[in-house]
């Protein structure tokens, strides 16, 4: 796994953010102190198992995917082994996950394509990744970041929600939010921004009842829903903070 981010090209803002450059840098500075080395919560052992786990996680929880793949990845941690396992047996491993039949079909198909088109290796570019069955832009971004150290921003439901709630990067679609977020996130914080934002949305700025009293950016937040102006004490948390 990568230890440091790859270089990226300079970006310019393409919309007017209500946050100043100083505010944005301070927001991500605090996230970096709170979780210096944030980690994704999907269990995996290599780029292929990460790709499969992310593909399975659509409309499912990370915990649910991890329970299903714990045994699956013991017998099928490469495209060749997954293809040999077959769609029917794969379904038995992932039947507790939503949409498991269609996901099993896609995992077998992407395994076959990896073997025939990419010599059994997971490609590193978004353009190649999205050619795989069941792999969209979000999945590709996660794999690029976590497997290959390429700074990207995969917009899931948590990021889509807080981007709008906090007025950070309002948008109706994940692609719109992604482009706006990439325009405002300080370059040197981009590599970990994906996980910081997801964890903030999952454990603090929750969908039904945001816990503003626990928020380390409460004084900077511009959400009309904000209930607290005092930031929580800035202490380092474990990479994953599970309530």
């Amino acid at each position: 796994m990568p230890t440091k981010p790859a270089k990226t090209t300079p970006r310019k803002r393409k919309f007017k953010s209500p946050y100043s450059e100083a505010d944005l840098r301070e927001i991500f500075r605090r996230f970096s102190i709170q979780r210096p080395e944030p980690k994704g919560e999907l269990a995996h052992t290599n780029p292929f198992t990460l790709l499969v786990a992310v593909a399975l996680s659509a409309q499912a929880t990370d915990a649910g995917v991890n329970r299903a793949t714990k045994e699956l990845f013991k017998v099928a941690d490469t495209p060749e082994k997954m293809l040999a396992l077959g769609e029917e047996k794969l379904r038995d491993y992932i039947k507790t996950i939503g949409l498991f039949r269609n996901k099993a079909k896609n995992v077998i198909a992407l395994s076959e394509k990896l073997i025939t088109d990419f010599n059994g290796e997971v490609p590193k570019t978004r353009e190649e990744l999205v050619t795989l069955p069941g792999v969209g832009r979000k999945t590709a971004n996660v794999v690029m970041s976590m497997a290959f150290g390429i700074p990207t921003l995969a917009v899931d439901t948590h990021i889509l929600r807080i981007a709008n709630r906090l007025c950070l990067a309002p948008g109706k679609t994940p692609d719109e939010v992604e482009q706006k977020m990439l325009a405002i996130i300080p370059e040197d914080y981009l590599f970990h921004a994906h996980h910081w934002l997801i964890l903030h949305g999952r454990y603090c700025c929750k969908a039904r009842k945001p816990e503003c009293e626990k928020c380390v950016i409460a004084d900077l937040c511009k959400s009309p829903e904000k209930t607290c102006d005092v930031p929580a004490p800035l202490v380092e948390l474990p990479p994953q903070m599970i309530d």
Side-chain angles (χ1 to χ4, degrees):
M1 290 297 173
T3 57
K4 59 183 179 180
K7 292 183 179 180
T8 56
T9 56
R11 295 160 293 123
K12 295 181 180 179
R13 288 197 191 192
K14 296 181 180 179
F15 76 104
K16 184 172 178 59
S17 170
Y19 294 85
S20 68
E21 295 282 353
D23 285 346
L24 290 166
R25 174 158 289 279
E26 179 62 13
I27 286 171
F28 287 96
R29 186 191 72 83
R30 294 184 192 181
F31 285 158
S32 73
I33 295 174
Q34 187 182 42
R35 292 185 178 89
E37 293 293 333
K39 305 294 182 183
E41 296 182 338
L42 285 172
H44 62 282
T45 58
N46 57 39
F48 174 70
T49 55
L50 173 63
L51 173 64
V52 172
V54 179
L56 294 177
S57 70
Q59 299 183 45
T61 65
D62 289 357
V65 172
N66 289 343
R67 284 193 293 269
T69 58
K70 182 178 180 180
E71 297 302 318
L72 171 63
F73 291 157
K74 290 179 181 179
V75 298
D77 60 355
T78 68
E80 293 80 6
K81 292 178 182 178
M82 191 67 74
L83 194 59
L85 181 66
E87 186 176 335
E88 185 176 347
K89 290 183 179 179
L90 173 56
R91 286 201 299 264
D92 290 337
Y93 282 98
I94 65 171
K95 60 187 177 183
T96 56
I97 301 174
L99 307 174
F100 73 94
R101 289 184 177 85
N102 190 56
K103 290 177 180 178
K105 181 179 180 180
N106 284 335
V107 168
I108 294 300
L110 73 81
S111 297
E112 185 173 15
K113 188 172 179 66
L114 285 173
I115 294 169
T116 58
D117 293 2
F118 301 103
N119 298 315
E121 299 292 330
V122 176
K124 297 182 179 181
T125 70
R126 184 183 296 111
E127 292 74 19
E128 292 174 314
L129 284 164
V130 297
T131 67
L132 300 171
V135 176
R137 186 180 180 89
K138 189 195 84 169
T139 297
N141 281 344
V142 173
V143 172
M144 289 167 63
S145 174
M146 292 180 63
F148 304 120
I150 301 169
T152 61
L153 188 78
V155 177
D156 72 344
T157 54
H158 295 295
I159 294 181
L160 185 66
R161 180 181 71 254
I162 66 174
N164 283 280
R165 175 186 277 166
L166 276 58
C167 306
L168 269 173
K172 295 181 180 180
T173 67
D175 285 358
E176 183 181 0
V177 168
E178 178 186 340
Q179 293 307 311
K180 288 184 176 180
M181 278 289 195
L182 289 175
I184 65 171
I185 297 172
E187 194 81 16
D188 48 329
Y189 288 122
L190 179 58
F191 184 62
H192 287 313
H194 165 74
H195 287 126
W196 286 328
L197 291 166
I198 286 178
L199 293 170
H200 186 65
R202 181 175 291 167
Y203 298 118
C204 183
C205 198
K206 300 176 181 179
R208 294 186 180 180
K209 189 178 179 181
E211 300 180 2
C212 299
E213 70 281 0
K214 292 170 54 177
C215 181
V216 298
I217 61 169
D219 57 323
L220 299 171
C221 177
K222 298 186 183 299
S223 171
E225 301 176 46
K226 183 173 65 170
T227 60
C228 174
D229 288 321
V230 179
L234 192 55
V235 296
E236 182 177 335
L237 298 175
Q240 294 123 311
M241 183 185 73
I242 302 177
D243 292 346

